[in-house]
């Protein structure tokens, strides 16, 4: 791993137009990815995680902020071409059933990656067969149509496709959430193995905190387009600092629990009113205080480099040892339960 | 909803404008010369020019159109040069026949079409195939030709029904119905098959949706699910196709009224076009435009009735 | 399949007939002995004969000759209409659909206006201006008929625009033009061809209709419209002149419509990417389908004894019939649920878990059938229920919570109205009492402000609220068994936890039994007492949750539990994996269905069907090399 970031996203804001209104999907998001590193974006539906990936790929216009790839600003549409050159940014999408054109044989879809590369037909084909071997597919698959492949096979094809042009960064947008559980592990292992061999960087987008933790070095937790917390993967997943991340961790279903662990929690997700000022998570937050409703929380930096956007976070009391699960105390002081305010 | 209606009404203005300008310009482009037509064989160039001046036909098209528009907005559609009759009067005399023809045809098309579609969606099999074949037939057989065939069978061969003519319901309800049977049949066949096919397709789609399964799980009887939930959710495409068919049938009167010699505005349009009676043609075109606007508005209102999403937005 | 083929054969036949008619008309001067205007007054209004195949008209002219010559101008006119309509509509449709934005809005407004023009009247007006230049008039007709095609092409292009493979092509750096040419155009080609066929048919009818009114070929030269018009004059004497023109017109229209239908089927078939088919695995020929009767589903160690049980399923087999072939999705399945018990079924796609839940609630999708075994609920034989008995069973005995809470609600009804109908049907309450009960139910599922929720339409609810409404609906008639099929799969994790907690607390309050179906071990583990693991349409393991989850006996169960990232202790090691991919229904081998993916496989695994055996009390496994030995496991208390 080198310390120069391959990708630097700062202050990224993406707005969608809905009629005359502009609805923010992503607000002021910053993170960077170094070579050979994986940054995980985790959040629930509406968190903007997929939009960030699409903005990096140049598939949605950026309203504010900048995306610097390999030292070059590629934010504007004028720079789309650059990131699409060989050796730059590629993607593996969520739905392997829609990411391959069903009317083209697999080889034709893959050959698109070399449309302008000037490689000969034979060289392209040889590369395809080579990559198919690497992703664990029989070379006969090149001539078949996507309709004949299983979900896991299609996702392997999609990975081979992304590798065709030797990119430095791959955006993995929920690459395993459409797959059977028993196939997910195969694909996750494959992605990691390829990363190790090629010192690739990944931006790994997911909703399952366990999967994202397993894949990532650094995790960014998103809620309604805002970064609530980021930090080393293990810290975020095992001793989270933000109340939302803690809710995520608590909700993550583990196969070995005794039913007694499940207390009936208050249905906080139903208080999910939009907040224009203040913390976006305030309506659902069990520890929200008045200031959470009125002021945007400051971004505090924790000792391990992680950042938390929470009024209730006190860096002085943060005793989270780096990359060690916190024993007992939580860095956010938990007062007597405060009923979530309804407005 | 209000937004939708407003949009529809705003669209109506350019629509009516385009219809009237289009007819005005095109009729003036035509080879016919009304003055020459009126004066017949006795016309001299001088008398034609004099008559043209008298009718205001020697002025520029823009001026003529402006004058027409000005009068039309106050309800005066002008006077026919050919028949010397007021266009507004000519149309109002004939509107009744056309409206009864189209309304009855739409009613027949919706009632029979929905029934046929309902049965074929639920029973499938042979009835489904029959609906398929009928719907192709309705598309393939032109209504005026079907009308002529009906005349041949029921009037010429069997002598059961009058071949032509129209009796106003004010004169005799029985004769009105007798005079309407064949034209309505000819005009509604395409509508019946169109509505039946749409009903069947839409109902099948709705009945395969998840909420129907959920209703079955609630223990509602099948017929209740179909009538209360299935048809209601299938209504939008049916309403759409009915609106399109209504407009299509209004246009179809142009041919059907000629075949059955029904004194309606469709027939008026044909004779006007044939005789170069541009003022009447212009008037009929505007009335047709208004009918289209009205039909679309009715369809939009029904959308709102059937689909809460439209109503809210 | 057979119908598809027949459909295509029909379309092929239609294409041949159409081509023959077109060629015959084009070659009319060569094919006919007399001219279209050659009169023979002695042969006026004759019926068909060897000399005049279609008979003659009033002037004794041969009708077949006139049909062929008339077809030349009529078909040419229809072709002009179609070419203009398609030529104008396709680029506009692609631009509107694929580019979108303001171009789409402008095109949409223009198409709206043109579609609202009264076509027949406009054509009459056009005819008065261009009666001398019929091709020009026909081109105008093409413009009037273009808007529906624009909409159609736009819709197809819009659908492709949202496909991920378009994004992939963009990311690969393909230019806009290449994407349109390579990905968008092939996708809209099908609809275009269909629309072209229909536009030609429509243009033909308009052209003939106008000519019938006198705006077409002028006598004596024929076209089909003027022939029908002449035929209508002599209807009292002979129907043949009317029939000749009309049949020619009908035949050409028919072939065009049939060709269009065939093209549509072809287009649909070549796009297996349609959502309804997307999830279906490729149909491969079944390999080694077991024909031998399978052994009994092992010792019945489940407690309580069947006579106290609420639901007893014995030897259940479910099959789906598609295109004449029957595919088993569940075979020989036993399941017992006691009153007030929460049982989970876990398995991956295609294992048959949903078919079990749907068979028990008698909600199998069309084509699905219970082909063997019995389902007893209390004292009812569920598999044979019909009519009012079936409705009664669904109303009061079992209820069903669906996977996608949104689509399970009638989109046109307010939530409160739907619930009121359910309550009224179930309990025969008055309207007012039913409304009160609805509010009570909505409060019971912890929805804040039940009265406001009752007034909402489904699209105004969030996923979590909708699923709460779904649960309220399921408990509305106080069922004894609630079946939840992947009730939280469509929801966010935090909402999922809330919904599972709600299900658990409602179960405790109401004392009903719950059958929870899920692909996610985590979900099942949150609330179930007992769990059944399915693979390849059969039970591979079952027992008390903590036994199965902590000490899985079947290699499949163990692997499934191990391969989740949440089970991993060291993130630096690769995840344990299971070889290959899940079985499709119908690919079942004779022996162990998991053998091909199993690391413990021996020859005896493939030899014969594997029986179910007990590894402990209330813990059964279908494996001859279980990971845990029956004798060594501690004896647990009876379930």
């Amino acid at each position: 791993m080198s310390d120069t970031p391959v990708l630097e996203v700062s202050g990224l804001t993406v707005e969608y137009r809905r009629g005359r209104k502009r609805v923010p999907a992503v607000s002021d998001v910053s993170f960077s990815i170094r070579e050979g590193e994986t940054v995980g974006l985790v959040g629930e539906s509406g968190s903007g995680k997929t939009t960030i990936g699409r903005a990096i790929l140049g598939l949605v216009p950026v309203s504010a902020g900048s995306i610097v790839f390999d030292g070059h600003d590629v934010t504007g549409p004028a720079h789309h071409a650059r990131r699409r050159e060989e050796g730059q940014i590629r993607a593996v999408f969520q739905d392997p059933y829609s990411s391959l054109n069903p009317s083209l044989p697999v080889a034709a879809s893959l050959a698109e990656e070399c449309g302008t590369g000037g490689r000969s037909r034979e060289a392209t084909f040889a590369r395809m067969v080579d990559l198919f071997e690497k992703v664990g597919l029989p070379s006969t698959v090149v001539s078949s149509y996507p309709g004949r492949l299983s979900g896991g096979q299609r996702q392997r094809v999609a990975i081979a496709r992304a590798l065709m042009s030797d990119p430095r960064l791959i955006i993995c947008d929920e690459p395993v959430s459409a797959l059977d559980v028993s196939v997910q592990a195969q694909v996750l292992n494959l992605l990691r193995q390829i990363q190790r061999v090629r010192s690739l960087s990944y931006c790994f987008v997911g909703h399952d905190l366990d999967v994202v933790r397993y894949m990532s070095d650094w995790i960014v937790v998103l809620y309604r387009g805002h970064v609530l917390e980021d930090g080393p993967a293990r810290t975020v997943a095992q001793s989270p600092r933000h109340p939302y991340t803690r809710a995520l961790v608590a909700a993550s279903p583990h196969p070995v629990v005794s039913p007694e662990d499940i207390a009936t929690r208050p249905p906080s997700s139903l208080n999910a009113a939009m907040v224009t000022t203040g913390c976006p998570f305030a309506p659902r937050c069990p520890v929200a205080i008045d200031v959470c409703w009125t002021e945007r929380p400051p971004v505090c930096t924790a000792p391990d480099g992680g950042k938390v956007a929470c009024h209730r976070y006190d860096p002085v009391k943060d005793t989270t040892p780096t990359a060690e699960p916190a024993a007992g105390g939580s860095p956010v002081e938990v007062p007597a339960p405060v009923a979530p305010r309804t407005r | 909803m209000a937004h939708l209606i407003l949009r529809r009404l705003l669209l109506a203005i350019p629509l009516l404008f385009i219809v009237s300008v289009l007819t005005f310009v095109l009729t003036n482009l035509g080879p016919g010369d009304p003055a020459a037509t009126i004066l017949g064989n006795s016309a001299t160039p001088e008398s034609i020019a004099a008559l043209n001046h008298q009718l205001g036909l020697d002025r520029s098209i823009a001026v003529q159109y402006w004058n027409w528009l000005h009068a039309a907005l106050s309800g005066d559609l002008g006077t026919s040069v050919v028949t010397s009759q007021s266009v507004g009067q000519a149309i109002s005399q004939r509107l009744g026949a056309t409206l009864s023809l189209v309304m009855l045809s739409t009613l027949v098309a919706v009632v029979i079409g929905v029934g046929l579609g309902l049965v074929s969606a639920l029973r499938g099999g042979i009835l489904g195939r029959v609906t398929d074949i009928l719907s192709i037939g309705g598309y393939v057989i032109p209504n005026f030709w079907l009308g002529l065939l009906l005349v041949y069978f029921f009037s010429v061969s069997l002598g059961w029904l009058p071949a032509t003519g129209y009796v106003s319901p004010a004169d005799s309800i029985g004769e009105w119905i007798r005079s309407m049977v064949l034209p309505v049949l000819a005009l509604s066949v395409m509508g019946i098959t169109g509505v039946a096919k749409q009903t069947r397709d839409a109902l099948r789609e709705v009945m395969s949706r998840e909420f129907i399964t959920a209703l079955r799980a609630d223990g509602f009887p099948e017929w209740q699910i179909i009538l209360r939930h299935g048809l209601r959710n299938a209504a939008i495409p049916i309403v759409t196709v009915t609106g399109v068919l209504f407009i299509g049938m209004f246009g179809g009167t142009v041919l059907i009224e000629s075949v059955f010699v029904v004194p309606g505005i469709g027939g008026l349009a044909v004779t006007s076009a044939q005789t170069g009676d541009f003022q009447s043609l212009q008037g009929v075109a505007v009335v047709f435009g208004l009918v289209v606007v009205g039909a679309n508005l009715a369809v939009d209102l029904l959308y709102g009735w059937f689909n809460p999403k439209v109503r809210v937005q | 399949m057979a119908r598809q083929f027949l459909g295509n054969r029909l379309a092929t036949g239609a294409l041949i007939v159409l081509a023959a008619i077109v060629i015959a008309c084009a070659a009319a001067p060569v094919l006919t002995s007399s001219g279209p205007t050659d009169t023979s007054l002695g042969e006026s209004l004759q019926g068909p004969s060897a000399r005049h195949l279609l008979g003659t008209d009033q002037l004794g002219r041969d009708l077949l000759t006139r049909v062929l010559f008339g077809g030349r101008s009529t078909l040419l006119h229809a072709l002009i209409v179609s070419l203009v309509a398609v030529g104008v509509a396709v680029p506009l449709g692609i631009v509107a659909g694929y580019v979108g934005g303001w171009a789409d809005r402008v095109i949409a407004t223009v198409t709206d206006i043109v579609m609202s023009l009264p076509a027949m009247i406009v054509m009459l007006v056009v005819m008065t201006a261009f009666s001398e230049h019929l091709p020009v008039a026909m081109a105008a007709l093409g413009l009037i008929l273009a808007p529906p095609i624009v909409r159609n092409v736009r819709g197809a292009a819009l659908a492709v625009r949202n496909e991920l493979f378009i994004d992939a092509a963009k990311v690969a750096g393909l230019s806009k033009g290449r994407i349109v040419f390579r990905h968008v155009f092939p996708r809209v080609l099908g609809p275009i061809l269909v629309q072209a066929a229909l536009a030609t048919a429509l243009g033909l009818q308009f052209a003939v209709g106008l000519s019938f009114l006198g705006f077409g070929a002028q006598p004596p030269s024929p076209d089909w419209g003027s022939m029908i018009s002449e035929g209508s004059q002599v209807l009292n004497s002979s129907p043949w002149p009317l029939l000749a023109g009309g049949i020619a017109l009908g035949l050409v229209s028919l072939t065009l419509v049939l060709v269009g239908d065939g093209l549509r089927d072809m287009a649909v078939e070549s796009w297996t990417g349609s959502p309804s088919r997307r999830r279906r695995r490729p149909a491969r020929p079944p390999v080694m389908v077991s024909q031998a009767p399978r052994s009994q589903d092992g010792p019945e160690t489940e407690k309580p004894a069947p006579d106290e049980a609420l639901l007893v399923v014995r030897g259940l087999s479910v099959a789906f019939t598609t295109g004449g072939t029957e595919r088993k999705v569940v075979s020989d399945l036993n399941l017992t649920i006691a009153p007030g018990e929460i049982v989970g079924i876990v398995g991956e796609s295609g294992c048959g878990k949903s078919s079990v839940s749907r068979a028990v609630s008698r909600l199998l999708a069309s084509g699905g059938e219970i082909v063997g075994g019995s389902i007893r609920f209390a004292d009812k034989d569920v598999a044979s229920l019909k009519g009012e008995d079936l409705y009664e069973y669904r109303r009061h005995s079992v209820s069903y919570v669906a996977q996608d809470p949104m689509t399970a609600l009638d989109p046109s009804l307010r939530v409160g109205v739907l619930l009121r109908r359910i309550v009224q049907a179930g309990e025969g309450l008055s309207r007012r009492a039913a409304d009160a009960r609805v509010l009570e139910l909505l409060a019971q599922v912890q929805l804040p402000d039940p009265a406001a929720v009752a007034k909402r339409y489904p699209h105004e609810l969030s996923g979590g609220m909708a699923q709460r409404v779904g649960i309220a609906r399921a408990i509305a008639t106080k069922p004894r068994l609630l079946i939840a099929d992947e009730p939280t799969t469509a929801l966010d994790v935090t909402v999922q936890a809330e919904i599972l907690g709600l299900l658990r607390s409602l179960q405790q309050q109401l004392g009903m039994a719950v059958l929870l179906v899920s692909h996610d071990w985590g979900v099942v583990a949150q609330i179930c007492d007992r769990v059944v693991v399915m693979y390849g349409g059969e039970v591979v393991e079952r027992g008390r949750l903590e036994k199965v989850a902590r000490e899985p006996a079947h290699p499949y169960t163990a692997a499934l539990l191990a391969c989740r990232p949440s089970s991993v202790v060291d993130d630096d090691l690769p995840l344990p994996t299971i070889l290959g991919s899940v079985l499709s229904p119908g690919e079942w081998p004779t022996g162990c269905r998991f053998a091909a993916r199993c690391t413990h496989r021996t020859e005896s695994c493939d030899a014969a069907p594997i029986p179910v055996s007990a590894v402990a009390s209330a813990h059964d496994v279908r494996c001859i090399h279980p990971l845990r030995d029956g004798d060594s496991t501690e004896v647990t208390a009876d379930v």
Side-chain angles (χ1 to χ4, degrees), chain A residues 309-330:
Chain A
C310 179
H311 286 294
R312 307 298 307 272
Y313 175 74
D314 184 352
V316 179
K317 292 191 182 164
D318 189 347
T319 53
T320 314
T322 314
E324 270 304 313
S330 153

Side-chain angles (χ1 to χ4, degrees), chain B residues 100 165-177 179-180 263:
Chain B
S100 38
Y166 170 77
V167 180
S168 163
D171 297 337
S172 156
I173 294 280
E175 285 303 308
W176 174 66
I177 290 172
S179 71
M180 281 281 107

